């Protein structure tokens, strides 16, 4: 255990995922969501295979006794990725990231309903307060005329897509919690990325855009950043205690706000900032309570919290 190293890996992981999201937002107006999902997933396999080979775990780490579980996790996680990428096109980067913070709160409720984990009044209270923060974050986008554009776009649709992505991420985390009982890190990540690549590739029949060389390299970079972020996430929980490392996930808000300002000229509304602070505080409390109850140790022993994006 090396707490400083674990925190460093977690911060680098958060930065990698945020840079990936910013690159997706840059390309989202010109490329179909399915094409972005394919590049993000397929090229994420490159750093994963290199990492497993370096650890002398390839291909042995890919053995599985629960292919059905991988399929379930893959379909749910892929759906979340599609929703999240679509939301990035319609929302400021920081808003999309902040709404995604609802996932750990949703996970508490799902763990109680699906995994039959005992959730006491303290965590339920934190979840309820956190959802008030989510509603506050959604409020700038839910004006009376917000849905005037219908399904064709607009921040209101983007906010709902981001929230749907958070629900999928929470469901995927439930599947990850069950998979970690029998499956290795390599298998969990490999089968997820492989299935998501396939689902993204199938959308080619709906029409893809042929990239130029510069944008092709950026598309490949999106995948590499996603794979690198996942590896750094695993290493963070390998070297740092979960209750110490997990709260640094919220550093993504700092990166997203900075990139949103410098790259896209965006700045989050005060309601989004206030709501995200409430959600972050609730999320940190849930993390500490789950660690106290021994739940985080079980989930992060192998793969850390699930990242659908």
């Amino acid at each position: 255990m090396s707490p400083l190293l674990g925190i460093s890996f977690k911060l680098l992981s958060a930065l990698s995922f945020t840079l990936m999201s910013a690159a997706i937002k840059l390309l989202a107006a010109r490329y179909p969501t399915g094409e972005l999902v394919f590049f993000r997933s397929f090229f994420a396999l490159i750093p994963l295979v290199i990492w497993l080979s370096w650890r002398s775990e390839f291909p042995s780490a890919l053995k599985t006794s629960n292919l059905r579980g991988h399929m379930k996790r893959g379909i749910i996680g892929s759906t979340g990725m599609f929703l999240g990428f679509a939301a990035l096109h319609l929302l400021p980067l920081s808003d999309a990231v902040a709404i995604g913070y609802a996932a750990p709160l949703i996970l508490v409720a799902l763990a109680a309903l699906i995994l039959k984990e005992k959730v006491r009044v303290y965590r339920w209270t934190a979840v309820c307060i956190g959802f008030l923060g989510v509603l506050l974050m959604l409020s700038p986008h839910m004006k009376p005329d917000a849905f005037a554009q219908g399904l064709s776009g607009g921040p209101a649709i983007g906010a709902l897509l981001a929230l749907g992505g958070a629900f999928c991420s929470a469901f995927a985390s439930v599947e990850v919690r069950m998979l970690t009982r029998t499956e290795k890190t390599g298998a969990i990540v490999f089968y997820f990325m492989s299935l998501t690549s396939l689902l993204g590739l199938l959308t080619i029949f709906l029409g893809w855009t042929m990239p130029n060389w510069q944008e092709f390299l950026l598309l490949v970079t999106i995948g590499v950043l996603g794979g690198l972020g996942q590896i750094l996430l695993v290493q963070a929980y390998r070297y740092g205690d979960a209750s110490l490392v997990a709260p640094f996930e919220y550093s993504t808000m700092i990166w997203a706000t900075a990139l949103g300002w410098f790259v896209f000229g965006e700045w989050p509304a005060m309601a989004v900032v206030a709501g995200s602070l409430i959600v972050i505080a609730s999320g940190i409390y849930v993390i500490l309570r789950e660690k106290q109850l021994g739940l985080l140790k079980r989930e992060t022993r192998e793969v850390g919290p699930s990242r659908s994006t």
Side-chain angles (χ1 to χ4, degrees), residues 30-186:
R30 297 189 295 280
Y31 291 88
T33 301
E35 187 172 357
L36 295 173
V37 168
F38 170 78
F39 276 94
R40 185 268 183 258
S41 303
F42 182 78
F43 286 97
L45 291 170
I46 295 176
L48 173 65
V49 171
I50 292 173
W51 180 61
L52 291 175
S53 300
W54 175 68
R55 293 173 56 85
S56 301
E57 294 179 359
F58 186 83
S60 61
L62 306 185
K63 293 180 181 178
T64 179
S65 59
N66 189 6
L67 188 59
R68 182 171 178 271
H70 287 293
M71 292 289 290
K72 286 173 60 182
R73 189 265 167 135
I75 292 172
I76 296 169
S78 298
T79 302
M81 191 179 292
F82 273 89
L83 294 174
F85 286 11
L88 282 168
H89 175 44
L90 301 171
L91 287 174
L93 180 61
S94 56
D95 291 31
V97 168
I99 294 172
Y101 292 156
L105 304 176
I106 299 169
L107 176 59
V108 174
L110 294 180
L113 294 173
I114 299 175
L115 300 179
K116 306 303 179 183
E117 293 178 358
K118 184 177 291 186
V119 179
R120 301 186 186 278
V121 65
Y122 299 105
R123 276 196 292 161
W124 280 125
T125 301
V127 168
C128 290
I129 294 173
F131 276 120
L132 291 177
V134 173
L135 292 176
L136 185 58
M137 286 191 291
L138 294 175
S139 62
H141 307 296
M142 299 299 172
K143 298 175 182 177
D145 60 344
F147 295 94
Q149 299 182 56
L151 295 178
S152 63
I157 299 299
L160 294 179
L161 290 172
L163 189 59
F167 269 95
C168 289
S169 180
F171 270 106
S173 292
V174 171
E175 294 299 325
V176 167
R177 282 191 173 183
M178 292 188 285
L179 285 171
T180 53
R181 297 168 183 171
T182 59
E183 304 296 294
K184 293 182 179 180
T185 301

Side-chain angles (χ1 to χ4, degrees), residues 196-209:
T196 307
S197 298
L198 177 60
L199 294 175
L201 182 61
L202 290 176
T203 66
I204 194 171
F205 299 106
L206 301 177
W208 278 16
T209 299

Side-chain angles (χ1 to χ4, degrees), residues 290-304:
E290 291 203 347
K291 174 59 180 177
Q292 185 179 7
L293 297 172
L295 300 175
L296 262 185
K297 183 178 180 180
R298 183 180 68 204
E299 181 185 357
T300 58
R301 182 178 59 245
E302 289 292 337
V303 295

Side-chain angles (χ1 to χ4, degrees), residues 218-237:
L218 185 56
L219 286 165
V220 172
T221 301
I222 286 171
V224 173
L225 284 171
L228 182 62
Q230 186 67 51
I231 293 170
L232 291 168
L233 183 67
V234 173
Q235 293 299 94
Y237 286 102

